[in-house]
């Protein structure tokens, strides 16, 4: 199992766990935001893994996308470290995720292919 596949599976499991926990209780706006971020992370990881598998992403591009995702994950963890993600922190994380998503799309649709 490749590293990206393993990371995708862990992210998907985490997203499912977070979603299940939210459904079991009344979700607060913060919990909804965190669940949305987790699902978005899982989808972006899946896009990277699919691009790598199909050859749309070279190994170098895929590694760069993984590093960008790791930076975003680190920013999410730092924002949540004090127990409360402020609206400003949430906006910053959302902008990072938007930028990561654009980079994934651009790299998947450029002329480079894995050999």
């Amino acid at each position: 199992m490749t590293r990206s596949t393993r990371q995708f599976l862990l992210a998907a499991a985490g997203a499912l766990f977070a979603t299940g926990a939210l459904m079991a209780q009344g979700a607060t706006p913060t919990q909804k935001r965190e669940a949305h971020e987790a699902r978005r992370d899982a989808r972006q990881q899946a896009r990277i893994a699919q691009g790598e598998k199909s050859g749309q992403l070279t190994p170098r591009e895929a590694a760069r996308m993984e590093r960008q995702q790791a930076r975003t994950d680190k920013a999410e963890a730092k924002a949540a470290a004090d127990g409360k993600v402020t609206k400003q922190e949430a906006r910053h994380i959302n902008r990072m995720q938007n930028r990561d998503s654009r980079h994934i799309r651009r790299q998947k649709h450029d002329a480079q292919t894995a050999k």
Side-chain angles (χ1 to χ4, degrees):
M1 183 179 298
T2 65
R3 187 182 88 174
S4 60
T5 304
R6 191 173 337 112
Q7 287 176 337
F8 167 70
L9 291 175
L10 287 173
L16 289 174
F17 178 74
T19 304
L22 290 175
M23 295 179 95
Q25 60 183 353
T28 65
T30 302
Q31 291 171 326
K32 288 180 182 178
R33 185 180 325 132
E34 290 170 356
H36 179 263
E37 290 171 0
R39 286 191 309 270
R40 188 169 183 181
D41 284 341
R43 284 192 307 268
Q44 288 185 351
Q45 287 292 337
R47 290 171 58 205
I48 293 168
Q50 184 277 330
E52 194 172 16
K53 183 178 178 183
S54 70
Q56 289 177 307
L57 291 175
T58 65
R60 187 173 181 176
E61 289 172 335
R64 186 180 316 118
M65 299 295 116
E66 294 286 347
R67 282 193 306 273
Q68 288 176 342
Q69 287 295 307
R71 274 189 226 112
T72 301
D73 292 343
K74 187 175 179 180
E76 289 174 10
K78 183 178 178 184
D82 63 356
K84 171 97 172 90
V85 178
T86 65
K87 287 184 180 182
Q88 182 180 7
E89 290 169 332
R91 272 195 305 270
H92 176 70
I93 291 166
N94 190 46
R95 281 194 306 268
M96 289 178 77
Q97 289 177 328
N98 288 342
R99 185 178 57 238
D100 293 348
S101 182
R102 278 193 310 272
H103 287 163
I104 293 168
R105 190 206 181 281
R106 286 178 186 153
Q107 292 302 315
K108 282 181 71 172
H109 292 91
D110 65 4
Q112 296 176 355
T113 57
K115 295 178 178 163

